[in-house]
Amino acid sequence: MWHTPYDDPAHLGSLPDMLIGVAGALPDRPADISPADVRRLAELGLQGTNVKLGGPGEASDAELRHARRVIADAGLVIAQSNGAYGSLVGHSDADRRLGIDGLIAHMHATTVLGARTCYVRPGGLNPNGPWFGHPDHHLDATFDRALDSLRRTTRAAEDLGVVLAFEGHVLSTIDRPERVAAILDAIDSPALTFNLDPVNFIGSIWDAWRPNAVYDRLLDSARGRIVTAHWKDFIVQEELVLHVDEVVPGRGVVDHARWLQRLNAAEPHAWVLLEHLTLEQLAPAKQAVDAAMSRASLSWDPAP
């Protein structure tokens, strides 16, 4: 498996304490990102952001360069690009080829944008959306198609000098930490990393009440291959069937100090990206995560 200098405990004393950013807080089109939009994030103490790309080829190079310039002028880093494309697990090779080609188009956009990573979703078989469930998502054959697609996209990423960050979810074919490990073991390349999103892997009431075990399994599965993490919190609703809902960090069951401390020990270079929050929720979320960093005896490293 690919290793980084961060795997050597002897280096931990001199390494950064991670960086803090946000995903989903800027306008959906790169052309619409304004200095005021980015300045608002910088004023909250955020160091980085993601940028949405739309569909393949939807944003022109000029629009991408505009977004890159506006974000850099505010002192922020583009930690991740995120575009829409077809499924990587479709039944036919032609369907998957459309998804792969779309993702490769986003890799080209990522180089123009100057983003540190390009976000990868496996997609699915449910026509309502890439993260909606389908019984066939959990079959070995579906997972094998995801693995084949990721091999192909990783080869393209290596050629382009892009770092991919793939994500999983209990409703997707990458539905548990062991499948994350299987992908990273099979594709031993620095161009493929794991986008850590622990709340996505809460799949049972046992996991919900004891999420630390799920989190630790994810870290063990992807150690040395995590560059970005989508940071969230959740609660268990008082319903007659299981309902797990995301909430503002600090208002749910996640022990953020523990999770941040363990992430720092495993991946001290990682970007922590607050996700699925309104602009009004960003300030309290940032405050809660800052307080958790303090409890963990950590502080955010200065942005590169």
Side-chain angles (χ1 to χ4, degrees):
M1 178 174 284
W2 172 58
H3 293 283
T4 74
Y6 304 106
D7 293 320
D8 183 355
H11 292 290
L12 289 179
S14 61
L15 286 173
D17 289 337
M18 304 180 297
L19 300 109
I20 180 73
V22 63
L26 292 177
D28 289 345
R29 298 176 65 248
D32 294 336
I33 297 173
S34 72
D37 294 322
V38 188
R39 189 163 53 247
R40 186 183 302 115
L41 304 183
E43 289 170 352
L44 290 173
L46 297 165
Q47 301 162 301
T49 181
N50 80 334
V51 171
K52 295 181 181 179
L53 302 174
E58 189 173 310
S60 69
D61 284 1
E63 292 169 338
L64 295 169
R65 285 192 290 267
H66 158 79
R68 180 175 184 165
R69 182 177 61 255
V70 168
I71 292 168
D73 286 348
L76 269 68
V77 173
I78 302 176
Q80 196 165 75
S81 65
N82 185 340
Y85 54 89
S87 176
L88 301 182
V89 299
H91 287 294
S92 74
D93 191 68
D95 285 343
R96 286 195 292 131
R97 185 72 254 176
L98 287 174
I100 291 169
D101 288 346
L103 181 53
I104 291 173
H106 289 319
M107 293 184 211
H108 286 281
T110 298
T111 64
V112 177
L113 192 62
R116 300 300 174 90
T117 62
C118 179
Y119 175 81
V120 179
R121 65 184 63 78
L125 303 172
N126 189 318
N128 292 318
W131 292 117
F132 289 99
H134 190 284
D136 288 353
H137 285 172
H138 313 287
L139 300 177
D140 288 342
T142 310
F143 177 75
D144 289 344
R145 294 196 298 272
L147 184 58
D148 179 70
S149 295
L150 287 170
R151 278 198 180 98
R152 294 199 236 175
T153 55
T154 299
R155 286 195 292 269
E158 290 171 342
D159 291 340
L160 292 167
V162 170
V163 175
L164 302 176
F166 76 91
E167 192 168 274
H169 193 287
V170 291
L171 296 179
S172 77
T173 193
I174 306 173
D175 55 5
R176 52 193 183 274
E178 291 72 21
R179 285 192 160 172
V180 173
I183 290 170
L184 295 174
D185 285 342
I187 307 174
D188 187 10
S189 170
L192 185 68
T193 67
F194 177 56
N195 188 83
L196 176 69
D197 193 330
V199 173
N200 281 6
F201 288 84
I202 303 301
S204 71
I205 191 63
W206 296 276
D207 292 340
W209 291 137
R210 296 177 177 83
N212 287 345
V214 176
Y215 184 72
D216 292 347
R217 285 164 58 206
L218 283 170
L219 284 183
D220 289 342
S221 296
R223 187 177 297 270
R225 301 282 287 274
I226 299 171
V227 179
T228 51
H230 286 176
W231 211 257
K232 300 184 294 201
D233 206 335
F234 72 94
I235 59 172
V236 178
Q237 293 285 13
E238 293 187 347
E239 302 283 351
L240 295 180
V241 292
L242 178 62
H243 285 272
V244 175
D245 288 339
E246 294 180 19
V247 294
V248 173
R251 300 178 186 176
V253 305
V254 171
D255 183 346
H256 292 281
R258 180 190 186 276
W259 283 21
L260 289 164
Q261 191 170 54
R262 290 187 64 83
L263 177 61
N264 180 254
E267 310 287 353
H269 58 315
W271 278 94
V272 173
L273 302 176
L274 303 171
E275 190 190 30
H276 294 168
L277 298 168
T278 66
L279 290 175
E280 291 72 24
Q281 292 170 329
L282 266 181
K286 172 70 163 49
Q287 291 165 6
V289 177
D290 284 348
M293 285 286 282
S294 179
R295 292 196 301 275
S297 300
L298 296 171
S299 58
W300 303 114
D301 193 62

